[in-house]
DNA sequence: ATAGGGTTAG
């Protein structure tokens, strides 16, 4: 092929030669053949006369990530005359992700005196958008206006994207509004901008405007719209988007399927997502990842891990996103065995562990009660490579295990190292202080938020209310909420309600509950909590009323499950579970345990039983709380020298908490319990939470 | 001969 090409040189025109070699260069699938052809065309002098082939080499070298060679080819040309080769080189830098090189190359182009054209700007703007170079982008914007390319539809779409990418969406909108002509791509770019800025409502609003202007969604538009609807968690609109995609034959595009899948996942429609997933014959990594996420986000972490087993035997390769999802599933499960299994798997399969994934793995170990490993991983990162998330992970890790002082030390160290704390840092520090009863320290951190100009969000107030509440400072807590005026959300009132439960303040609790039932009428937890407060004060009438309310609204108390690991498997125990041959021993063990503990001074605390039944029955129900069954199972099966790990999906009740303390003292066992809020480390008859939880 | 909007995770 090559030889015949050379022969052509002798008797054919330059155009035919170009087309011929163009085909050869394009079909190169490895670097060495490309280099070979390059050297032949250089020595024969053909390349010198062909701008076209030069451009082709630049692009082809960049396809193999040989940017230096590409630049070398560029430099060897007489490039000062036209913009074309400059544009080509810009394209090479941009498409391979060398954004800062693209921008400095553009600067060089201007310095050399070459005029940019309408093809130049989309590349440079893309580089600005991705590397968040807003000031540079603005400079280019003024050059666009100066050079008279401000009305080019491609250039304007790229400008919209640049401003949106840099987070200044209103500037993006200004460009969009000024356009004299818009096509579908421009509309989609602007809709996407709102979606990325988490302004789903505005995105949908603009979509309707677009449709009134006579444009129909294509598959790219629908992908973006599905994201917006998913963000809003709008189940009604989800079906409409899905139906539109099917009606217009867009559901054949895999990205559409994937984004619709993600949309349903975010709306909590697990079954619909499963159906779509099952009917999708050609899945890619994103399809699998989306389904894994669907399970994880909807609290079905075990299903996610099961699905991963199916993914492994399918012919899909997984990537670092898959790893991240699995790690978060393990964090949710709190299972040490699964955590190490997934970590090993990631290492064995050479998944690229970037800092984000590393931080996520640290967090996973912390949430699986293995703080030592989390700490070791933190220390393995050189200080200059740490990011804010690494610090946040360590702070929250200490916090959830009740090490408030250590969390504060890390926070101070972080400041010493000149890291800027962010909103997550403060959530972690404040909740750490709260869990350890460090009120003064917490107040100090709360006031430091202004120094670092981190806005105070409801979640930060919720931590403060929680902190005051646990310390018995209910008035301070309530005053803080009043300061928030209408900004108080359910998290804040929920924290107050919990404090009222701990300190038995029914009247303030009623006030909090009023607000909560108004803000979140479907949230079962608040009804249960208020009902328990009434039960504490033996106000069975109000308990009955609340239960009636819940029934009328179709709300049910979520089933409590306590998980315990044994023999590389998770065993789940539910309260009052049916007796079967497997659990009979466990029930007997509970009976025996309660008798023994009573001799040591344990008195059952019946106050936390939700149901209004006779006291004798209550003792019965109480004995068979899932966490007690799990504990008995652990005492029977797990070697006495090892700690017992239990993970509960709800808050531990006070009676179980007391039993766990007694067991740790009387039988000399170490017990670690994770509930929805934090970890409890039981040892020598005491708990690390100091009975505040 | 060159260009603009895109799905998963955080």
């Amino acid at each position: 092929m090559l030889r015949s090409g050379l022969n052509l040189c002798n008797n054919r025109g330059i155009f035919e030669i170009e087309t011929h070699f163009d085909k050869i260069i394009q079909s190169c699938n490895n670097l060495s053949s490309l280099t070979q052809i390059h050297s032949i065309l250089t020595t024969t002098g053909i390349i010198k006369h062909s701008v076209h082939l030069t451009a082709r080499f630049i692009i082809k070298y960049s396809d193999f990530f040989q940017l230096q060679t590409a630049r070398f080819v560029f430099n060897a040309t007489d490039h000062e005359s036209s913009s074309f080769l400059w544009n080509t080189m810009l394209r090479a830098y941009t498409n391979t992700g060398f954004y800062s090189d693209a921008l400095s190359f553009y600067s060089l182009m201007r310095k050399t005196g070459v005029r940019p054209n309408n093809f130049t700007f989309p590349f440079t703007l893309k580089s600005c958008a991705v590397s968040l170079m807003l000031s540079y982008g603005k400079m280019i914007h003024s050059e666009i206006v100066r050079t008279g390319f401000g009305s080019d539809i491609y250039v304007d779409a790229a400008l919209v994207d640049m401003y949106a990418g840099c987070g200044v969406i209103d500037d993006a909108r200004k460009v969009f509004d000024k356009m004299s002509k818009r096509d579908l791509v421009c509309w989609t770019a602007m809709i996407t901008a709102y979606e990325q800025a988490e302004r789903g409502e505005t995105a949908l609003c603009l979509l309707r405007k677009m449709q009134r202007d006579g444009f129909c969604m294509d598959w790219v538009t629908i992908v973006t719209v599905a994201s917006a609807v998913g963000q809003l968690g709008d189940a009604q609109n989800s079906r409409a988007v899905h139906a539109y995609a099917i009606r217009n034959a867009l559901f054949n595009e895999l990205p559409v399927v994937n984004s619709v899948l993600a949309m349903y996942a975010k709306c909590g429609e697990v079954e619909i997502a499963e159906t779509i997933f099952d009917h999708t014959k050609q899945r890619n990594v994103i399809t699998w990842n989306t389904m894994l996420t669907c399970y994880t986000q909807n609290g079905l972490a075990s299903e996610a891990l099961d699905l991963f087993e199916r993914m492994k035997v399918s012919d899909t390769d997984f990537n670092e996103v898959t790893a991240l999802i699995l790690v978060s599933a393990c964090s949710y499960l709190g299972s040490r065995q699964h955590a190490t299994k997934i970590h090993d798997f990631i290492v064995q399969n050479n998944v690229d562990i970037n800092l984000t994934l590393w931080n996520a793995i640290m967090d996973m170990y912390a949430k699986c009660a293995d703080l030592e490993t989390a700490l070791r991983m933190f220390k393995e990162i050189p200080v200059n490579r740490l990011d804010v998330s690494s610090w946040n992970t360590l702070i929250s890790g200490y916090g959830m295990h009740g090490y408030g002082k250590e969390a504060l030390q890390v926070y101070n160290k972080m400041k010493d190292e000149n890291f800027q704390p962010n909103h997550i840092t403060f959530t972690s520090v404040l909740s750490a202080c709260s869990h350890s009863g460090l009120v003064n320290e917490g107040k100090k951190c709360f006031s430091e938020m202004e120094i670092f100009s981190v806005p105070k969000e409801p979640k930060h107030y919720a931590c403060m209310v929680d902190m005051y509440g646990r310390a018995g400072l209910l008035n301070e807590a309530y005053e803080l909420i009043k300061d928030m005026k209408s900004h108080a959300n359910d998290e804040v009132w929920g924290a107050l309600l919990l404090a009222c439960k701990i300190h038995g303040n029914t009247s303030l609790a009623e006030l909090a509950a009023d607000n909560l039932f108004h803000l979140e009428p479907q949230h079962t937890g608040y009804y249960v909590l208020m009902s328990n407060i009434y039960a504490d004060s033996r106000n069975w009438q109000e308990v009955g009323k609340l239960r009636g309310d819940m029934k009328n609204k179709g709300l049910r108390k979520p089933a409590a499950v306590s998980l315990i690991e044994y023999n590389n498997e998770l065993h789940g125990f539910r309260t009052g579970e049916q007796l079967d041959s497997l659990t009979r021993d466990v029930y007997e063990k509970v009976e025996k345990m309660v008798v023994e503990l009573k001799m040591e001074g344990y008195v059952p605390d019946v106050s936390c039983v939700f149901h209004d039944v006779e006291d004798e029955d209550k003792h019965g129900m109480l004995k068979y709380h899932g966490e007690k069954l799990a504990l008995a199972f652990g005492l029977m099966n797990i070697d006495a020298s090892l700690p017992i790990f239990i993970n509960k999906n709800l808050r531990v009740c006070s009676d179980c908490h007391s039993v766990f303390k007694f067991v740790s003292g009387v039988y000399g066992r170490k017990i670690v319990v994770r509930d929805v809020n934090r970890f409890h480390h039981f040892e020598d008859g005491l708990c690390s939470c100091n009975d505040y939880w």
Side-chain angles (χ1 to χ4, degrees):
Chain A
M1 202 164 165
L2 204 58
R3 187 161 299 281
S4 67
L6 288 172
N7 290 338
L8 269 175
C9 303
N10 304 323
N11 43 29
R12 301 280 176 88
I14 184 78
F15 179 73
E16 275 173 81
I17 299 167
E18 271 188 342
T19 335
H20 184 81
F21 283 109
D22 188 37
K23 275 188 202 140
I24 297 176
I25 298 167
Q26 278 201 65
S27 64
C28 273
N29 49 17
N30 62 68
L31 187 58
S32 70
S33 58
L34 182 67
T35 317
Q36 218 178 352
I37 296 164
H38 186 199
S39 77
I40 291 168
L41 293 194
T42 308
T43 44
T44 51
I46 294 175
I47 194 163
K48 245 196 149 56
H49 302 289
S50 170
V51 178
H52 178 174
L53 291 181
T54 307
R56 189 62 76 197
F57 273 115
I58 292 175
I59 293 304
K60 199 71 194 180
Y61 274 118
S62 77
D63 285 348
F64 293 116
F65 287 93
Q66 302 299 311
L67 274 300
Q68 282 189 347
T69 317
R71 181 62 179 271
F72 181 78
V73 174
F74 171 84
N75 287 344
T77 60
D78 169 26
H79 48 252
E80 288 180 22
S81 47
S82 86
S83 320
F84 171 60
L85 283 180
W86 289 86
N87 289 345
T88 310
M89 195 62 222
L90 265 177
R91 174 185 165 201
Y93 281 130
T94 310
N95 291 348
T96 47
F98 290 88
Y99 303 112
S100 56
D101 294 280
L103 293 180
S104 48
F105 187 75
Y106 175 75
S107 297
L108 181 68
M109 177 180 184
R110 303 295 286 132
K111 238 186 279 168
T112 315
V114 180
R115 283 178 63 86
N117 62 16
N118 53 327
F119 292 95
T120 315
F121 298 116
F123 294 126
T124 47
L125 290 170
K126 170 81 185 284
S127 294
C128 295
V130 180
S131 44
L132 305 175
M133 303 279 281
L134 179 58
S135 50
Y136 204 101
K138 281 184 171 167
M139 194 268 286
I140 291 173
H141 189 175
S142 64
E143 290 197 354
I144 289 169
V145 175
R146 231 189 359 258
T147 49
F149 290 104
S151 54
D152 185 288
I153 205 163
Y154 285 80
V155 174
D156 284 344
L159 271 172
V160 167
D161 198 48
M162 185 275 292
Y163 281 120
C166 293
V168 283
I169 190 147
D170 295 334
D171 288 355
R173 184 61 189 258
K174 269 183 213 155
V175 176
F176 180 80
D177 284 340
K178 265 193 213 146
M179 295 175 73
S180 52
K181 223 184 119 196
R182 302 183 193 95
D183 63 5
L184 184 60
V185 175
C186 303
W187 281 100
T188 310
M190 197 61 231
I191 292 170
T192 304
Y194 283 118
E195 184 267 317
Q196 300 281 5
E198 298 192 341
R199 288 169 60 177
E201 292 285 5
T202 321
L204 294 184
C205 205
L206 198 65
L207 171 72
R208 283 187 282 274
K209 248 184 160 168
M210 175 188 109
Q211 289 170 325
R212 276 201 298 275
D213 254 35
F215 290 98
C216 290
M217 292 192 266
D218 70 352
W219 71 269
V220 180
T221 320
I222 203 118
V223 159
T224 257
V225 168
S227 297
V229 172
Q231 226 173 62
L232 296 168
D234 183 341
Q236 201 73 39
N237 264 326
S238 312
R239 283 160 222 273
V241 169
H242 187 189
Y244 183 97
I246 292 172
R247 247 195 341 265
N248 295 279
L250 299 171
F251 215 63
N252 315 319
E253 298 285 347
L254 198 47
V256 175
V257 176
N258 292 341
S259 67
V260 167
L261 203 56
M263 174 181 72
Y264 279 126
K266 285 180 189 135
C267 295
E269 302 275 12
V270 181
E271 276 126 48
I272 303 180
E274 275 173 334
T275 314
I276 295 177
F277 182 82
D278 289 339
H279 285 280
T280 307
K281 291 285 160 280
Q282 288 195 315
R283 309 173 183 130
N284 63 8
V285 213
I286 297 181
T287 321
W288 285 94
N289 288 350
T290 307
M291 198 60 217
L292 289 170
T293 306
C294 175
Y295 284 132
T296 312
Q297 280 176 347
N298 288 289
L300 300 164
S302 302
E303 278 79 354
L305 294 179
D306 290 344
L307 185 68
F308 181 57
E309 294 303 317
R310 275 172 65 195
M311 182 176 176
K312 276 197 254 179
V313 294
S314 78
D315 52 3
T316 325
D317 284 331
F318 43 83
N319 58 17
E320 67 287 349
V321 179
T322 322
L324 214 50
I325 299 165
L326 293 170
V327 166
S328 89
C330 283
S331 304
Y332 182 87
L333 268 184
S335 147
R336 290 188 151 206
Q337 273 99 337
H338 280 109
T340 36
K341 214 171 113 187
I342 289 294
H343 192 182
D344 288 348
F345 188 84
I346 290 170
V347 172
Q348 278 157 18
N349 287 279
N350 300 314
V351 177
D352 174 38
I353 305 186
N354 56 23
L355 191 54
T356 309
L357 183 54
W358 187 271
N359 291 338
I361 296 172
M362 262 166 53
D363 189 51
M364 169 180 75
Y365 279 115
K367 286 183 177 150
C368 292
D370 190 350
L371 200 52
E372 297 76 30
T373 305
L375 187 58
R376 200 165 57 235
M377 287 184 70
F378 182 87
K379 286 180 180 159
E380 276 178 42
I381 317 172
V383 180
N384 59 2
R385 280 212 47 220
L386 287 166
D387 68 3
V388 193
S389 304
S390 322
W391 293 96
N392 292 349
T393 305
L394 193 61
I395 294 171
S396 85
Y398 274 131
M400 68 179 99
H401 287 279
Y403 297 107
K405 292 233 165 67
E406 287 79 357
L408 280 168
Q409 277 168 11
V410 176
Y411 169 64
N412 287 325
K413 182 95 190 295
M414 167 185 185
K415 289 188 291 181
D416 291 344
E417 302 280 356
N418 290 319
F419 279 87
Q420 278 283 326
N422 63 13
H423 63 118
I424 300 167
T425 316
F426 284 105
T427 315
S428 310
V429 177
L430 293 175
S431 100
C433 290
S434 162
H435 286 315
S436 303
L438 301 168
V439 178
N440 290 328
E441 292 82 349
K443 275 160 88 171
K444 191 166 161 269
C445 293
F446 193 57
S447 64
E448 277 181 10
M449 292 183 71
E450 276 145 43
I451 301 173
F452 293 101
S453 41
V454 175
K456 288 174 179 166
E457 295 168 40
K459 61 181 180 185
H460 301 116
Y461 281 96
C463 290
M464 291 305 287
V465 170
D466 196 59
M467 184 188 306
Y468 284 134
R470 286 161 202 276
L473 304 166
L474 292 182
N475 282 332
E476 279 83 345
Y478 185 44
E479 288 302 317
L480 194 63
I481 295 182
K482 282 200 270 188
D483 281 350
M484 292 178 73
K485 303 208 173 70
S486 61
H487 299 293
N489 68 354
D490 69 306
E491 280 178 288
V492 180
W493 288 112
L496 185 66
L497 189 63
L498 186 62
C500 291
K501 155 90 178 126
I502 295 170
H503 297 286
N505 186 331
T506 313
S507 56
L508 195 55
E510 282 172 339
L511 187 117
D514 257 1
N515 283 286
L516 285 165
F517 297 158
H518 184 70
L519 286 164
E520 290 284 327
Q522 301 298 315
H523 195 298
T524 320
Y526 301 134
Y527 290 92
V528 173
L529 197 50
M530 188 64 227
S531 166
N532 285 346
I533 293 170
Y534 283 131
D536 284 350
S537 58
R538 304 189 152 258
N539 188 344
W540 304 119
Q541 218 178 344
E542 292 295 332
V543 171
K545 257 196 218 166
L546 273 182
R547 292 194 64 206
D549 276 359
M550 284 175 70
K551 213 174 169 183
N552 291 339
K553 290 189 171 127
L555 299 176
R556 289 182 59 200
K557 190 181 173 181
V561 187
S562 294
L563 300 171
I564 182 164
E565 291 187 69
Y566 171 66
N567 250 353
N568 289 328
E569 267 186 66
L570 282 176
H571 298 263
F573 290 91
R574 287 171 184 79
T575 303
E577 211 159 30
Q578 289 287 305
L579 276 175
D580 62 31
S581 56
L582 279 171
T583 47
R584 189 178 301 278
D585 295 349
V586 177
Y587 277 78
E588 280 167 13
K589 178 72 183 175
V590 173
E591 297 284 351
K592 196 167 157 251
M593 183 174 83
V594 168
V595 171
E596 285 171 357
L597 295 182
K598 275 182 179 165
M599 291 197 296
E600 301 287 336
Y602 158 68
V603 181
D605 173 3
V606 294
S607 64
C608 62
V609 176
F610 175 49
H611 302 91
D612 175 15
V613 284
E614 293 308 308
D615 268 13
E616 211 155 317
D617 280 359
K618 275 186 206 165
H619 285 273
M621 291 287 288
L622 207 51
K623 266 191 281 190
Y624 302 126
H625 267 184
E627 51 266 55
K628 287 198 193 76
L629 297 173
L631 177 61
F633 178 85
L635 288 172
M636 289 160 62
N637 293 301
I638 294 170
D639 191 277
S641 64
L642 299 172
I644 296 171
F645 293 100
I646 293 172
N647 184 6
K648 190 180 175 189
N649 66 340
L650 298 171
R651 195 172 160 272
V652 185
C653 91
S654 56
D655 184 62
C656 288
H657 196 267
S658 149
V659 165
F660 279 61
K661 285 204 292 184
F662 270 100
V663 168
S664 74
V666 175
Y667 304 126
R669 295 291 301 244
K670 279 191 190 176
I671 307 162
V672 183
V673 176
R674 182 181 128 175
D675 71 9
V676 267
N677 293 321
R678 59 168 296 155
F679 278 92
H680 301 260
H681 295 262
F682 297 94
E683 200 173 349
D684 299 328
L686 296 172
C687 178
S688 63
C689 78
N690 289 320
D691 303 338
Y692 281 145
W693 80 98

